[in-house]
Amino acid sequence: MNERHPLNPYVGAYPWLDGRAGIWREIARYVLKDAPQAQTVVELGAGYCDFINNVPAPARFAFDMNPDMERFAAPGVKLRVGDCRGLPGIADGSVDLLFASNFLEHFTVEEAAALLGDAHRVLRPGGRIALIQPNHLRCPEHYWDDPTHKTAFDHQNLPGLLTQNGFRMLRMVPGLLPFSMKSRLPKIPLLVRWYLRSPIRPLAAQMYALAERV
């Protein structure tokens, strides 16, 4: 059964799970090592703002469709409620890092390509895009459990989509995280940090893609 956060009755695609804040602190730490000097960061599909709240950049922007998520944005995070397509309000060439987790699979290939085009436009030359995505090749039996998933992305086809839309691949990790935070693996932050650093990650079905705007 989905758990309810005491301040948020919404339990659909974004159920509140105890321990998620500590997990996301470690995920943010991992991602930010790939853009340590980022001054302007954008997150798409921010949900509870777990990632963007842990970013120390002076300019932080986030997009989410759910108005209930506004209350979870930390001071200084500018959360826009609504469709992120076109990245309204984000100036061309102004972003150092754009991040999204469990996001592109909710779009068709054509829609995902258009979103990557938007990302390319707002990123500065050399700016980076970091994506955490379920890897279809590692979780085919669960990938379509979510009826809003439209496209099967994996560590073989996602790099091609990125390069076709003006990015240069820097790193692809086929298995970085378990498919879901409901995994049986421990959720103690120190163990999460160890897991992310380990070359062996049991049950890892989420991939990590890092690319640079060219």
Side-chain angles (χ1 to χ4, degrees):
M1 182 172 65
N2 289 331
E3 300 177 48
R4 292 177 182 266
H5 186 276
L7 298 179
N8 189 0
Y10 186 83
V11 296
Y14 300 112
W16 178 268
L17 297 174
D18 290 337
R20 65 181 301 131
I23 294 172
W24 271 103
R25 277 195 298 273
E26 296 305 323
I27 296 173
R29 184 196 302 268
Y30 179 93
V31 174
L32 292 172
K33 287 181 179 178
D34 287 324
Q37 305 302 319
Q39 297 296 298
T40 301
V41 178
V42 174
E43 181 179 10
L44 307 183
Y48 288 99
C49 298
D50 295 298
F51 174 80
I52 199 71
N53 285 351
N54 283 289
V55 173
R60 296 176 291 169
F61 302 89
F63 291 82
D64 199 89
M65 294 289 288
N66 186 353
D68 287 336
M69 298 305 176
E70 287 185 287
R71 72 187 70 185
F72 296 100
V77 172
K78 297 178 181 178
L79 176 66
R80 181 184 180 92
V81 175
D83 197 329
C84 69
R85 284 177 284 193
L87 294 177
I90 308 297
D92 293 2
S94 65
V95 177
D96 299 299
L97 174 67
L98 186 141
F99 174 79
S101 172
N102 289 257
F103 186 70
L104 287 184
E105 71 272 17
H106 297 279
F107 299 89
T108 65
V109 172
E110 293 76 17
E111 291 169 338
L115 281 165
L116 291 177
D118 295 332
H120 187 275
R121 175 180 58 79
V122 301
L123 282 165
R124 62 169 178 77
R128 295 183 169 185
I129 181 170
L131 302 171
I132 294 176
Q133 292 281 140
N135 185 341
H136 181 260
L137 292 178
R138 292 200 168 204
C139 55
E141 71 279 15
H142 294 299
Y143 194 92
W144 304 108
D145 289 352
D146 186 338
T148 67
H149 286 190
K150 294 183 178 180
T151 305
F153 286 112
D154 57 55
H155 66 278
Q156 296 179 354
N157 64 14
L158 184 57
L161 187 65
L162 285 160
T163 56
Q164 290 165 17
N165 287 279
F167 293 94
R168 179 173 66 89
M169 286 301 301
L170 299 177
R171 188 148 62 96
M172 169 57 76
V173 181
L176 180 70
L177 291 163
F179 179 74
S180 168
M181 284 196 181
K182 297 178 182 178
S183 162
R184 298 187 302 273
L185 292 178
K187 299 175 177 60
I188 300 170
L190 187 60
L191 292 180
V192 174
R193 188 182 307 178
W194 172 85
Y195 183 90
L196 289 169
R197 291 177 177 177
S198 174
I200 300 174
R201 303 184 185 97
L203 304 180
Q206 295 258 1
M207 59 185 166
Y208 177 68
L210 179 71
E212 183 178 71
R213 180 199 187 278
V214 295

